[in-house]
Amino acid sequence: MKTYVRTITFILCKAVHDVFPNGKIKIQFPVSNGYYFNLDINRTVTPEDVQVLRNRMREIIAADEPFVHHTCTLEEALEVFRNDESKCSLLNSLQMEQTEYYSLGNYNDYFYGPMMNSAGEVQLFGLELYYNGLLLRVPRKDCPTRLGQYIRQDKMFGVFNEYHQWQDLMHISNVGTLNKAVNLNYATQLINVFEALQEKRISRIADEIASRKGIKVVLIAGPSSSGKTTTCKRLSIQLFTNGIWPVGLSLDDYFVNREQTPRDEKGEYDYESIHALNLELFNEQLNAMIAGEEVELPRYNFATGQSEKSGKRLQLDNNQVLVLEGIHALNPQLTSQIPDSQIFRVYASALTTLTLDDHNYIPTTDNRLLRRIIRDHKYRNNTAQDTLKRWPSVRAGEEKWIFPYQENADAIFNTAMLFEISIIKKQAEPLLQAVPKDSPEYAEAKRLLQFLQYFKPIEADKVPPTSLLREFLGGSSFEY
């Protein structure tokens, strides 16, 4: 899938080069089951422009020219891409002796991974006008003969745009400019500014919750290693500053007895399913607490797989709200019996906005996977190989139970830090290097190591103890 996306992106960039020789195209972020590009042709992009580009892409595919791989010196690459500032910035910041690039006909581009053999191997794509740019649509992973469903993701688009504006303020748009800032000893300033911007965003969410009268439940959802737990803790502090007393509640205690747990297609217990939770009891107790009644909370015994009485009783005061975090927090089934006017939903995820260069984005999943590798090693005694082995099933659960409900959120909080991969690098590299070469996980480990080589390292001691990154690096002032 990554190879297909790289290939169709290459074809789009070539089409822009052919149709608009003085135009510039820049990949921004994944959205709406596709990839959003900004196209600068010194005027407003029209539907007719999109149709011309679409036709040119089809001509390139029909010609079926091969992609030619080149290995060259750094000086040769800089000469090839002398008119591409983003590529030259990255190459200059690394000072590698050798590098590589691809050509298709008379067009050259620099991509960070293999391409398909020829343009004709691309069979399916979509290109549409999207806001003031382009949406490149790609096939579904589970059904390559169909495009991913087009869905509006206005909230997600807004968050990505907001973070791009922050990056513009700091003049950090890609890894090349980040590396330059690190080389000039601006890392501490960059960290302090971005931490403050993130705290300001959390504060705004707390202010919005406080402004809505009648909110009694705050739900926080997000995929694996998105930083939900620290987001919950920092949001709780900001709620305190608004005179609201947050009361934590664990969804894990609402698991049904093990024998009642649904099974997946392999016949194994599916603890990721929303039906692994006792939804009836959960809604009954939430309604009771919202009404001011006292309830006895359940406790799930993971050793026996049974739901038990905890002996812990809870009754909400007028200035208290329940705060819960979990993968199902945005699913309408979870709180089907609670009025929406009493619920505030937060979606937290590491929405990476930094790009390697103008044509190469950094997958948000890579960011989260690197976080999880170092966290699992530090706190769960797992190897990188263990984490890589489990990652496909984790991703499958996210696709099924989390991502379809992103736009249900009242607020989306981006937990990605502009500088974080530069910090994670030092902890992640030795763990990835330890993955056995004869294991099925080695190819992915090698890919991640190649990806990390583009980042100049930043020392972790520059990160404050309240940072969300400390959830993964260790050394947090929060208790987990």
Side-chain angles (χ1 to χ4, degrees):
M1 189 65 192
K2 288 185 174 72
T3 300
Y4 194 99
V5 170
R6 278 192 291 268
T7 303
I8 194 63
T9 298
F10 194 115
I11 292 171
L12 171 60
C13 294
K14 175 172 169 52
V16 171
H17 173 267
D18 294 346
V19 174
F20 304 109
N22 296 318
K24 292 184 179 181
I25 187 166
K26 180 176 181 180
I27 191 168
Q28 299 282 299
F29 41 77
V31 68
S32 298
N33 284 324
Y35 298 87
Y36 176 70
F37 287 78
N38 179 55
L39 177 60
D40 182 5
I41 53 175
N42 292 318
R43 60 174 173 81
T44 301
V45 180
T46 67
E48 290 73 24
D49 294 326
V50 179
Q51 184 60 50
V52 170
L53 281 174
R54 195 184 294 124
N55 291 341
R56 180 58 189 143
M57 289 177 72
R58 288 172 179 154
E59 290 172 356
I60 294 169
I61 291 168
D64 195 22
E65 288 190 74
F67 288 97
V68 180
H69 177 264
H70 304 270
T71 300
C72 63
T73 64
L74 176 64
E75 289 73 19
E76 289 170 335
L78 289 171
E79 175 60 25
V80 169
F81 298 111
R82 62 186 181 277
N83 295 321
D84 191 324
E85 183 180 348
S86 69
K87 285 180 169 55
C88 289
S89 175
L90 181 60
L91 292 169
N92 274 319
S93 72
L94 297 172
Q95 293 298 315
M96 298 183 296
E97 291 185 5
Q98 279 196 327
T99 187
E100 55 191 36
Y101 66 93
Y102 285 90
S103 61
L104 182 64
N106 64 347
Y107 178 72
N108 303 312
D109 213 333
Y110 189 97
F111 277 79
Y112 308 89
M115 310 295 292
M116 300 178 81
N117 293 319
S118 65
E121 292 185 5
V122 171
Q123 297 296 316
L124 186 64
F125 74 94
L127 189 68
E128 300 178 21
L129 195 64
Y130 195 84
Y131 288 89
N132 57 345
L134 304 174
L135 181 68
L136 178 64
R137 298 175 63 193
V138 297
R140 288 168 44 175
K141 284 181 284 189
D142 61 336
C143 184
T145 58
R146 294 175 59 189
L147 290 175
Q149 182 182 4
Y150 177 82
I151 54 174
R152 294 292 300 190
Q153 289 189 303
D154 296 333
K155 293 176 183 176
M156 193 70 67
F157 186 87
V159 171
F160 274 121
N161 264 343
E162 179 185 11
Y163 271 71
H164 274 291
Q165 290 170 11
W166 286 2
Q167 289 175 207
D168 290 343
L169 286 173
M170 293 180 281
H171 305 290
I172 305 291
S173 59
N174 51 53
V175 176
T177 50
L178 173 63
N179 287 340
K180 182 178 180 180
V182 173
N183 288 336
L184 293 173
N185 296 317
Y186 290 151
T188 300
Q189 181 182 6
L190 190 65
I191 290 169
N192 290 339
V193 170
F194 211 84
E195 290 283 353
L197 286 168
Q198 198 173 75
E199 189 62 34
K200 190 171 185 178
R201 177 60 178 147
I202 293 175
S203 175
R204 287 176 180 169
I205 294 173
D207 291 346
E208 187 176 352
I209 293 170
S211 70
R212 296 195 190 184
K213 303 305 178 184
I215 295 293
K216 299 301 292 183
V217 182
V218 176
L219 300 172
I220 302 174
S224 173
S225 302
S226 61
K228 297 185 296 295
T229 304
T230 304
T231 300
C232 184
K233 292 179 181 296
R234 289 171 65 176
L235 180 59
S236 293
I237 291 172
Q238 291 293 342
L239 288 172
F240 268 121
T241 68
N242 279 277
I244 297 172
W245 187 282
V247 178
L249 195 64
S250 174
L251 277 175
D252 286 352
D253 284 325
Y254 286 89
F255 276 126
V256 297
N257 293 331
R258 188 164 293 158
E259 63 272 13
Q260 297 173 304
T261 304
R263 295 180 182 268
D264 60 20
E265 60 276 4
K266 296 179 182 179
E268 299 174 355
Y269 288 122
D270 185 4
Y271 296 107
E272 303 295 312
S273 169
I274 193 170
H275 302 294
L277 299 172
N278 189 335
L279 299 177
E280 183 177 352
L281 176 63
F282 179 74
N283 278 268
E284 177 187 316
Q285 292 204 334
L286 248 63
N287 269 318
M289 286 186 280
I290 289 170
E293 300 173 16
E294 184 181 78
V295 302
E296 181 179 1
L297 300 175
R299 178 181 60 205
Y300 188 75
N301 188 324
F302 283 90
T304 65
Q306 299 296 303
S307 178
E308 304 170 345
K309 291 185 177 181
S310 68
K312 180 181 178 181
R313 308 190 73 83
L314 181 60
Q315 184 176 20
L316 293 181
D317 293 334
N318 289 333
N319 69 329
Q320 291 182 319
V321 297
L322 290 168
V323 180
L324 302 87
E325 56 109 345
I327 65 170
H328 298 297
L330 299 186
N331 191 324
Q333 294 183 69
L334 180 70
T335 51
S336 59
Q337 300 172 36
I338 313 297
D340 276 347
S341 60
Q342 297 176 323
I343 301 172
F344 192 94
R345 298 176 175 89
V346 179
Y347 179 71
S349 189
L351 306 173
T352 313
T353 53
L354 195 67
T355 60
L356 283 166
D357 62 30
D358 284 354
H359 299 167
N360 292 267
Y361 83 107
I362 297 173
T364 60
T365 51
D366 282 357
N367 198 342
R368 293 191 292 110
L369 176 54
L370 290 167
R371 284 180 175 184
R372 179 156 175 158
I373 285 171
I374 62 174
R375 185 198 65 187
D376 284 1
H377 172 74
K378 189 175 294 289
Y379 298 111
R380 301 177 184 179
N381 200 32
N382 287 338
T383 65
Q385 183 183 2
D386 294 331
T387 302
L388 290 171
K389 188 181 297 182
R390 294 190 185 98
W391 191 242
S393 63
V394 171
R395 294 281 292 117
E398 293 169 351
E399 295 281 354
K400 185 175 182 179
W401 297 112
I402 301 176
F403 297 149
Y405 307 107
Q406 293 170 134
E407 290 291 309
N408 290 350
D410 296 288
I412 296 178
F413 177 61
N414 189 359
T415 69
M417 313 294 276
L418 191 63
F419 50 81
E420 73 171 271
I421 295 177
S422 297
I423 291 173
I424 285 174
K425 173 176 177 156
K426 275 197 170 183
Q427 291 195 22
E429 282 182 329
L431 301 177
L432 291 165
Q433 288 164 355
V435 175
K437 290 187 177 181
D438 59 352
S439 69
E441 292 74 34
Y442 176 72
E444 181 68 350
K446 184 179 179 181
R447 183 188 70 81
L448 289 170
L449 283 168
Q450 290 174 331
F451 166 65
L452 287 171
Q453 74 176 341
Y454 294 104
F455 293 81
K456 290 286 185 181
I458 299 174
E459 295 299 326
D461 60 8
K462 298 181 184 294
V463 179
T466 55
S467 173
L468 186 143
L469 266 188
R470 288 292 175 189
E471 180 178 332
F472 309 95
L473 296 170
S476 177
S477 58
F478 295 113
E479 293 182 4
Y480 295 98

